[in-house]
Amino acid sequence: MCRDFYAISYYGEQYKLGYINMDFLDCETVDRYIGEEKDRFWRAVHIITAEVPYSTYYKKYIGINEKTLRRGGALFRVKLEETEKTHAGFSCDIYSQDGLVSRQSRIKIIDAERCSVEEGNRIINDLNNKFDISEVPEYDGSEGVVASHIKGKLAGESSNKRFLFTTYKVGQGLATSIQVENEIPFMYFDYGTDKDPSKVPRGLTLKVDIKETVIFISHVDEDHWCGCRITPQALLCTWVIPDQRGSAIYQKTISTIKSRGGIIFRHTTDIDLGSIYIGHSASTIRPSRVPKNVHQDGLAMYVNARAYDDSANLIEYKITVSGDQDYDYQDATKYGNSDALVACHHGGEYCWSSKYAGIYPRDNSSIVIYSYGLNNKYGHPNKTNAYYRWGWKIRHDTAFIGSYVKSIYF
């Protein structure tokens, strides 16, 4: 059966294999982005080209290789067909009508016709206006609304309150939160789930209060923010997003939140919330090395709290949540001697260089948490032996044990 989709294409992790990783949206989903001329727009199906490998297959049908949503971009009417052949066509996600639930598939182009320059310019301009990210305000600083809100939750009588730090069992993804016990989390650091809806653990909930919850994400990879697929009201919360313009998925992240009316702040600087610090650093191996990807110019979170030890003594307790941020692009003075570590990159690759010396626990009671899904295609967590050599003798695997919850005090 031939189906028609609208697609904004971008190249993904699989580009070296010679095909485009695309997100396909059905017509009803994209109607709200197009505006007044949507009826005319949907008389044909369109695809906007992205900067992609110039493969033989792509050249056969499209013939050029230009950027998405910029002057010089090209627009095509296409006919698309799903295929079960793993070596044919494009890897893609096909979305439901609400634009949140997707399934993975492969699509091949069976026909393509380039639009006229006039029609292409009109449609691209409409999309540029709808997906304009220049209106996203920068993070408002240590005395701004976001920081004041979080600091208010931590201050006052917080020394008498018990807080919970949680790393959720989300499948192949990451979501962590901090909340006052018996209350909805007031902050998340990463809000992801498994990108494959069929692999999201049954019964998973990532509760939010749209007026109280702030969601920080470490970087724009989708498995670190797509928890909004199971909790759509999260898109109405306040989000703080690292400014990773230039990465293909950044625009999608911003557009997904904007289209649902959420509040977004983007930032390039570290965020100091007192007992909680969110930030990054230059490479500790080669300080002059420019970050190459979203795993190097993203963020990690460092929580300085207190917790009871086995002898019921209230002691200093440090938590590091690395997201996917390479360790050498984190501040070693902040993550050193952690009591709990949510391992970088789901327990996978943790540094671009073999010269990285390691991340060390405070003592033998420290715990490393691996957030991943069973039978994931990445082989995560495949670096656990390195963590063991560094001294992390106690581990918690969300895939087998479930969510990790720790009682802490500020």
Side-chain angles (χ1 to χ4, degrees), residues 284-285 327-328 335 350-351 353-360 390:
T284 56
I285 297 171
Y327 289 127
D328 75 305
Y335 68 58
Y350 51 79
C351 182
S353 173
S354 60
K355 294 181 179 180
Y356 179 68
I359 180 169
Y360 299 97
W390 294 332

Side-chain angles (χ1 to χ4, degrees), residues 62-89:
I62 305 300
I64 63 172
N65 177 8
E66 294 177 343
K67 269 189 176 295
T68 302
L69 298 181
R70 59 176 273 175
R71 185 174 298 176
L75 199 67
F76 293 85
R77 298 183 183 88
V78 296
K79 285 289 185 180
L80 307 168
E81 184 177 73
E82 288 190 69
T83 176
E84 295 181 356
K85 296 181 179 179
T86 58
H87 63 278

Side-chain angles (χ1 to χ4, degrees), residues 207 239 334 337 340 342 378 387:
K207 295 181 179 179
W239 293 68
K334 290 188 169 58
N337 299 319
V342 181
Y378 310 102
Y387 287 89

Side-chain angles (χ1 to χ4, degrees), residues 162-169 177 179 181 317 319 340 367 369 396 398 401-408:
R162 183 159 72 168
F163 292 75
L164 300 179
F165 167 79
T166 304
T167 301
Y168 295 85
K169 179 182 178 180
S177 72
Q179 67 194 93
E181 187 178 29
Y317 196 86
I319 302 171
I367 186 169
I369 301 132
H396 181 107
T398 59
I401 306 174
S403 298
Y404 174 82
V405 182
K406 179 68 177 181
S407 296
I408 57 176

Side-chain angles (χ1 to χ4, degrees), residues 78-111:
V78 296
K79 285 289 185 180
L80 307 168
E81 184 177 73
E82 288 190 69
T83 176
E84 295 181 356
K85 296 181 179 179
T86 58
H87 63 278
F90 306 105
S91 171
C92 67
D93 295 329
I94 298 179
Y95 284 80
S96 63
Q97 291 187 2
D98 62 10
L100 296 174
V101 179
S102 69
R103 58 184 175 84
Q104 294 182 331
S105 186
R106 294 187 69 83
I107 296 291
K108 66 179 181 179
I109 298 175
I110 59 175
D111 186 44

Side-chain angles (χ1 to χ4, degrees), residues 351-372:
C351 182
W352 59 277
S353 173
S354 60
K355 294 181 179 180
Y356 179 68
I359 180 169
Y360 299 97
R362 183 187 300 276
D363 53 39
N364 289 334
S365 65
S366 298
I367 186 169
V368 59
I369 301 132
Y370 299 114
S371 177
Y372 65 97

